[in-house]
Amino acid sequence: SQQGEEDPQALSIQEGENATMNCSYKTSINNLQWYRQNSGRGLVHLILIRSNEREKHSGRLRVTLDTSKKSSSLLITASRAADTASYFCDTDGSNDYKLSFGAGTTVTVRA
Amino acid sequence: KAGVTQTPRYLIKTRGQQVTLSCSPISGHRSVSWYQQTPGQGLQFLFEYFSETQRNKGNFPGRFSGRQFSNSRSEMNVSTLELGDSALYLCASSFSRENSPLHFGNGTRLTVT
């Protein structure tokens, strides 16, 4: 069954720096989505990238998708304290999305 | 547009009891998915309902069950609670589970003592 797996597990950066995290998955997909979760709250949808897209931007977020390597990256530029959160990728392709979320990358932005 | 509403926000139960959690999806959304989140296991898929039918189920014991009503509101039930059921239970709705973003509620924090 397919699953998004985020890497690294944790990331600590200084405010103003960029943060990059990766997601790998096992099978072919239709879409890949990134979510953010602040402590103890629900996930918030950030961006969706379709399998025929290679790059997408939304504000300070940049997502790339490499279907040949079955991987995606999320770049947060000019990080702020409010970016401190866990980030998850979610894939959908086949009908088996039972394990679609990975364990997430926890990002800490230091002031 | 109102977001996904989960009630209650916090719940404390004792072992052996049962619990029912509620989720009201965004208006017009017909798919509702449930997830269990724990520090050790991460985000685990429980089940997904679409138009009152369970379409997919994760690898959880039969103590975990759910249903969806005609207005798309969903409930999940956990019977014979165990200490390991302590978790944040998240509900997410979407127009259709495939190809559309999930909109999450803020979850129900269940503590089993």
Side-chain angles (χ1 to χ4, degrees), chain A residues 15-61:
Chain A
E15 205 165 22
E17 293 181 337
N18 296 341
T20 301
M21 60 210 84
N22 304 296
C23 169
S24 59
Y25 54 92
K26 296 183 175 65
T27 63
S28 61
I29 61 169
N30 293 328
N31 308 293
L32 185 144
Q33 306 186 58
W34 285 92
Y35 291 82
R36 181 189 73 231
Q37 183 182 34
N38 292 96
S39 180
R41 302 184 72 84
L43 281 70
V44 173
H45 182 259
L46 295 176
I47 198 165
L48 179 153
I49 187 165
R50 303 192 188 282
S51 59
N52 61 354
E53 298 176 311
R54 291 297 166 258
E55 188 170 312
K56 205 160 182 181
H57 295 256
S58 177
R60 294 183 295 110
L61 305 179

Side-chain angles (χ1 to χ4, degrees), chain A residues 95-108:
Chain A
N95 201 32
D96 182 6
Y97 49 82
K98 297 172 190 176
L99 299 175
S100 63
F101 284 98
T105 292
T106 299
V107 175
T108 302

Side-chain angles (χ1 to χ4, degrees), chain B residues 21-110:
Chain B
L21 311 182
S22 179
C23 172
S24 294
I26 290 173
S27 178
H29 286 187
R30 296 163 67 187
S31 170
V32 174
S33 301
W34 288 90
Y35 294 85
Q36 181 196 66
Q37 187 174 34
T38 58
Q41 297 296 317
L43 205 61
Q44 299 287 310
F45 172 76
L46 281 156
F47 27 67
E48 186 247 353
Y49 287 88
F50 185 86
S51 294
E52 301 179 67
T53 300
Q54 186 182 87
R55 289 204 296 191
N56 275 283
K57 190 175 189 303
N59 298 321
F60 279 81
R63 299 185 296 108
F64 292 81
S65 63
R67 58 178 176 169
Q68 186 180 34
F69 302 95
S70 58
N71 61 359
S72 292
R73 190 177 70 85
S74 178
E75 288 180 348
M76 68 162 281
N77 184 278
V78 188
S79 63
T80 319
L81 284 165
E82 300 176 359
L83 294 178
D85 297 333
S86 294
L88 179 66
Y89 290 88
L90 293 167
C91 161
S93 76
S94 62
F95 183 72
S96 68
R97 177 58 177 89
E98 300 85 7
N99 305 318
S100 59
L102 295 173
H103 298 264
F104 283 81
N106 282 325
T108 293
R109 172 74 63 185
L110 172 65

